[in-house]
């Protein structure tokens, strides 16, 4: 039994793996950022399988969003909102680059659902994917014969009805999230993820510690980490983990001490994501805690040979800014 969030909770060995995973994954990030040659870890599970970074904003797709979708040039709020949602609905760099190549830089003035749909038809007809496997993307079911056409029609409708413009009136991260929840097919988890992405832009500056929504993977991770949460719900557990991170990193024996993101502590969204990752990690490290779910990690790690631009929202005040990112080589 330990104390967490003012409650007595009963943890499993997966709980301690959560902190070791966070520390070692962040250490891998810094080793790569320093240009060290791989392998970047002695942990066989992290070396073999693909895991997201400890900080969500450090992941390659988030970094691409920051540098090529949001901060590549100054734009008004509506153009920025359209670009962020267009990118995130597909959440795939290749899809975005194909659209830009075929149709041009997405803008409100030039947006055409049919034009973008035809460009994505080309990819599908070649047998290529247009959606990332990171999220399950339900269709808004607007009558099209292909899901991507429904999503593009959804975006066009958000522009036409003023829903997209109304996002600028959000008064908090929760308010922004609640507006996004009203969009057909988004649902609580996707709405929260999109609220975080929109909050990266210069048009919002809300505290990522305001609140959190736990996704299905995080809920599974919490169930593996705790035999008894002492009455805390999933969001309460995540908040308590973020508040107590320093304490538990000190209590957990790790090969490498945790090093935060240039002074930025783990935020609620990061702790939520780490529960998703420890759910995967435990499939191999702690199979006895399977809970009847998947028994293996599907994605094998492969080095991405493309250079990575590294920088964060300028408002965070970190040494690396998305307005002037550092370009890192893909050390193999």
């Amino acid at each position: 039994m330990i104390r967490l969030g003012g409650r007595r909770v009963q943890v499993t060995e997966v709980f301690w793996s959560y902190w070791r995973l966070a520390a070692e994954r962040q250490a891998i990030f810094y080793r790569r950022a320093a240009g060290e040659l791989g392998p970047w870890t002695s942990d066989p599970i992290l070396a073999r399988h693909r895991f997201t970074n400890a900080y969500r904003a450090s992941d390659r797709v988030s970094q691409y969003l920051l540098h090529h979708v949001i901060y590549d040039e100054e734009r008004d709020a509506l153009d920025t909102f359209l670009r962020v949602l267009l990118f995130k609905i597909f959440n795939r760099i290749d899809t975005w680059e194909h659209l830009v190549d075929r149709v041009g830089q997405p803008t409100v003035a030039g947006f055409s659902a049919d034009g973008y749909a035809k460009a994505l038809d080309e990819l599908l007809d070649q047998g290529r994917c247009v959606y990332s496997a990171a999220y399950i993307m339900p269709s808004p079911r607007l009558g099209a014969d292909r899901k991507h056409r429904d999503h593009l029609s959804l975006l066009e409708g958000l522009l036409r009805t003023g829903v997209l413009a109304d996002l600028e009136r959000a008064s908090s991260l929760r308010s922004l999230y609640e507006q996004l929840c009203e969009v057909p097919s988004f649902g609580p988890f996707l709405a929260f993820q999109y609220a975080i992405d929109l909050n990266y832009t210069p048009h919002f500056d809300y505290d990522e510690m305001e609140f959190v929504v736990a996704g299905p993977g995080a809920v599974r991770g919490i169930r593996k980490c705790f035999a008894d949460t002492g009455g805390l719900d999933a969001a309460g557990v995540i908040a308590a983990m973020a508040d107590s991170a320093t304490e538990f990193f000190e209590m957990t024996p790790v090969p490498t001490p945790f090093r935060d993101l240039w002074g930025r502590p783990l935020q609620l969204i990061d702790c939520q994501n780490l529960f998703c990752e420890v759910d995967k990690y435990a499939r191999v490290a702690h199979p006895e805690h399977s809970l009847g779910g998947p028994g293996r990690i599907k994605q094998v790690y492969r080095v991405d040979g493309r250079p990575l631009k590294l920088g964060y929202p300028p408002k965070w005040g970190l040494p690396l800014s998305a307005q002037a990112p550092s370009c890192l080589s893909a050390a193999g």
Side-chain angles (χ1 to χ4, degrees), residues 24-38:
E24 185 61 16
R25 187 62 187 85
Q26 183 68 352
I28 292 169
F29 165 77
Y30 274 119
R31 290 167 192 147
R32 293 197 66 187
E36 294 182 21
L37 295 177

Side-chain angles (χ1 to χ4, degrees), residues 47-68:
R48 175 169 174 74
H49 300 284
R50 182 179 176 184
F51 289 86
T52 64
N53 279 282
Y55 286 83
R56 179 185 188 269
S58 296
D59 286 332
R60 182 176 286 272
V61 172
S62 292
Q63 286 292 305
Y64 189 94
L65 171 74
L66 287 164
H67 303 133
H68 298 280

Side-chain angles (χ1 to χ4, degrees), residues 26 29-30 55 246 258-267 312 316-320:
Q26 183 68 352
F29 165 77
Y30 274 119
Y55 286 83
T246 300
F258 180 74
R259 179 182 170 192
D260 61 26
L261 191 68
W262 290 289
R264 183 178 177 85
L266 289 169
Q267 304 291 295
Y312 299 89
W316 289 5
L318 301 184
L320 298 179

